[in-house]
């Protein structure tokens, strides 16, 4: 079947669901334009336009409904400069490029192989002008700041300070906030001068949550050493294992010579 027809069906289902995940014309048109089959694993090609996600090289190809939720929350406008933290396979940056133009979209990912895949997918889909680089997402992309919009496709307890500082004065950052329980949130900059009576000129801005969009479940924002292909990807798993190994080597009560079992 014609991919364009499949895309129309996919978006129509997202527009008419109970929660109406696609509400704006811009998001609807962009999702109908970008060939999602260019971004899914080859063996999942038939399911490219179903509302499902895929695993690929240690990253997650987000489902169309999740992408729609993120983009509706991001609320981009024409010619906005956008940073995507967590380039993944490149699908979300491509949809954003269809909305604001390729040259206005920048994406970073901490995993080098994922960056290569994203670049290749974007080129194949006709969005080769999107800038994709290998960076620690928490550091953002200061050379191209400020950004009107920043989208983080990974969770953290609070927004990374560097990303907040890279927002334009009227910018908006959208990301999942929380640990095990996460909620998608929109964040804006708040400087001390925004507070009545403050005179701390030049102090770095803080994040202010301005809107929440319900529960989500995203992988945590990775740091150096945790990316796919690194020696250890998950520091929590590593620390748990190291603790277990140390604990296994400790002496039990019956092994301690100072315990006088016969005298008790």
């Amino acid at each position: 079947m014609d991919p364009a027809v499949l895309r129309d069906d996919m978006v129509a289902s997202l527009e008419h669901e109970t929660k109406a995940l696609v509400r704006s014309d811009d998001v609807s048109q962009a999702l109908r334009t970008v060939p999602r089959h260019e971004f899914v694993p080859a063996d999942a090609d038939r399911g490219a336009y179903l509302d499902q996600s895929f695993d690929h090289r240690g990253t997650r190809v987000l489902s169309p409904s999740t992408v729609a939720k993120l983009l509706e929350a991001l609320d981009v406008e024409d010619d906005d400069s956008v940073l995507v933290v967590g380039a993944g396979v490149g699908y979300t940056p491509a949809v954003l490029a269809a909305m604001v133009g390729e040259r206005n979209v920048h994406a970073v990912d901490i995993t080098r192989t994922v960056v290569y895949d994203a670049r290749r997918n974007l080129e194949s889909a006709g969005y080769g002008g999107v800038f994709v680089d290998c960076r620690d997402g928490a550091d953002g992309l200061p050379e191209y700041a400020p950004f009107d919009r920043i989208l983080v496709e990974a969770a953290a307890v609070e927004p990374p300070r560097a990303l907040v500082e890279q927002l334009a004065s009227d910018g908006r950052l959208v990301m999942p906030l929380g640990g095990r329980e996460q909620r998608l949130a929109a964040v804006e900059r708040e400087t001390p001068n925004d507070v009545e009576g403050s005179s701390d000129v030049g102090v770095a801005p803080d994040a202010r949550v301005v809107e929440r969009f319900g529960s989500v479940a995203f992988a945590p924002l990775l740091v150096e050493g945790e990316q796919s292909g690194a020696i250890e990807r998950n520091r929590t798993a590593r620390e748990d294992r190291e603790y277990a190994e140390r604990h296994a080597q400790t002496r039990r009560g019956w092994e301690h010579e100072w315990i006088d079992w016969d005298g008790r």
Side-chain angles (χ1 to χ4, degrees), residues 27-38:
V27 173
S28 174
Q29 184 59 40
L31 289 172
R32 294 176 192 272
T33 301
V34 177
R36 189 168 185 260
H37 60 272
E38 297 285 357

Side-chain angles (χ1 to χ4, degrees), residues 19 26 28 35 94 113 125 136 138 155 157 189-190 197 223 244 250:
K19 295 183 179 179
D26 288 344
S28 174
T113 54
D136 186 330
V157 174
R189 291 179 59 144
E190 183 179 67
V223 299
T250 60

Side-chain angles (χ1 to χ4, degrees), residues 191-220:
T191 64
N193 289 335
D194 294 330
V195 182
E196 186 177 351
S198 174
S199 59
D200 295 329
V201 178
V203 177
D206 291 319
R208 175 169 61 98
V209 175
V210 296
E211 199 168 357
R212 296 185 186 272
F213 302 92
S215 300
V216 289
F218 279 75

Side-chain angles (χ1 to χ4, degrees), residues 14 17 19 45 53 69 107 127 148 151 166 170 223 233 235:
L14 297 175
E17 285 186 354
K19 295 183 179 179
D45 200 23
S53 58
K69 188 172 185 177
Y127 298 95
D148 300 300
L151 175 62
Q166 289 170 35
D170 57 349
V223 299
R233 179 174 182 186
R235 63 175 177 269

Side-chain angles (χ1 to χ4, degrees), residues 35 80 95 210 220 245:
D80 272 350
V95 179
V210 296
E245 290 174 351

Side-chain angles (χ1 to χ4, degrees), residues 147-201:
F147 298 100
D148 300 300
R149 297 289 187 270
I150 296 178
L151 175 62
V152 184
E153 294 189 348
V157 174
E158 59 185 25
R161 190 169 186 81
L163 296 183
V164 177
E165 292 175 349
Q166 289 170 35
L167 275 177
S169 59
D170 57 349
R172 182 182 182 92
L173 181 151
V174 169
M175 69 177 298
L177 294 179
R180 292 186 177 180
E181 295 183 3
Q182 305 168 9
R183 294 182 70 82
L184 186 64
V187 172
E188 293 180 356
R189 291 179 59 144
E190 183 179 67
T191 64
N193 289 335
D194 294 330
V195 182
E196 186 177 351
S198 174
S199 59
D200 295 329
V201 178

Side-chain angles (χ1 to χ4, degrees), residues 17-261:
E17 285 186 354
T18 305
K19 295 183 179 179
L21 295 172
V22 174
R23 299 184 301 277
S24 65
D25 291 339
D26 288 344
V27 173
S28 174
Q29 184 59 40
L31 289 172
R32 294 176 192 272
T33 301
V34 177
R36 189 168 185 260
H37 60 272
E38 297 285 357
F39 298 89
V40 300
D43 58 354
D45 200 23
R46 288 175 175 242
Y49 298 106
L50 299 178
D51 190 24
Q52 60 187 44
S53 58
F54 303 96
D55 290 318
H56 178 66
R57 289 185 184 267
T59 190
R60 191 82 167 158
V61 185
L62 299 180
S63 66
S65 59
T66 300
V67 173
K69 188 172 185 177
L70 293 173
L71 296 183
E72 290 288 358
L74 195 62
D75 191 26
V76 298
E77 300 177 359
D78 292 345
D79 297 325
D80 272 350
S81 176
V82 184
L83 171 65
V84 180
V85 175
V89 294
Y91 180 65
T92 306
V95 179
L96 283 164
M99 299 173 71
V100 302
E102 298 174 45
R103 299 296 177 180
N104 290 329
V105 180
H106 311 73
V108 296
D109 202 287
I110 198 170
T111 305
R112 190 169 299 279
T113 54
V114 169
V115 169
Y116 292 151
D117 285 349
R119 289 174 179 170
R120 183 168 53 250
N121 294 340
L122 285 161
E123 186 71 37
S124 298
Y127 298 95
V130 174
F131 178 86
V132 186
D133 199 12
C134 184
R135 300 287 185 95
D136 186 330
D139 295 336
L141 199 61
E143 308 95 298
Y144 293 86
F147 298 100
D148 300 300
R149 297 289 187 270
I150 296 178
L151 175 62
V152 184
E153 294 189 348
V157 174
E158 59 185 25
R161 190 169 186 81
L163 296 183
V164 177
E165 292 175 349
Q166 289 170 35
L167 275 177
S169 59
D170 57 349
R172 182 182 182 92
L173 181 151
V174 169
M175 69 177 298
L177 294 179
R180 292 186 177 180
E181 295 183 3
Q182 305 168 9
R183 294 182 70 82
L184 186 64
V187 172
E188 293 180 356
R189 291 179 59 144
E190 183 179 67
T191 64
N193 289 335
D194 294 330
V195 182
E196 186 177 351
S198 174
S199 59
D200 295 329
V201 178
V203 177
D206 291 319
R208 175 169 61 98
V209 175
V210 296
E211 199 168 357
R212 296 185 186 272
F213 302 92
S215 300
V216 289
F218 279 75
L221 189 64
L222 301 181
V223 299
E224 185 61 40
E226 294 183 327
Q227 63 266 44
S228 177
I231 296 176
E232 291 293 347
R233 179 174 182 186
N234 189 301
R235 63 175 177 269
T236 301
R238 183 187 67 234
E239 290 168 355
D240 286 348
R241 186 180 66 250
E242 290 174 352
Y243 173 81
E245 290 174 351
R246 290 195 303 270
H247 184 69
Q249 295 172 3
T250 60
R251 305 180 73 179
R252 274 65 173 180
W254 57 269
E255 295 175 303
H256 287 281
E257 298 175 355
W258 53 264
I259 297 180
D260 184 7
W261 294 103

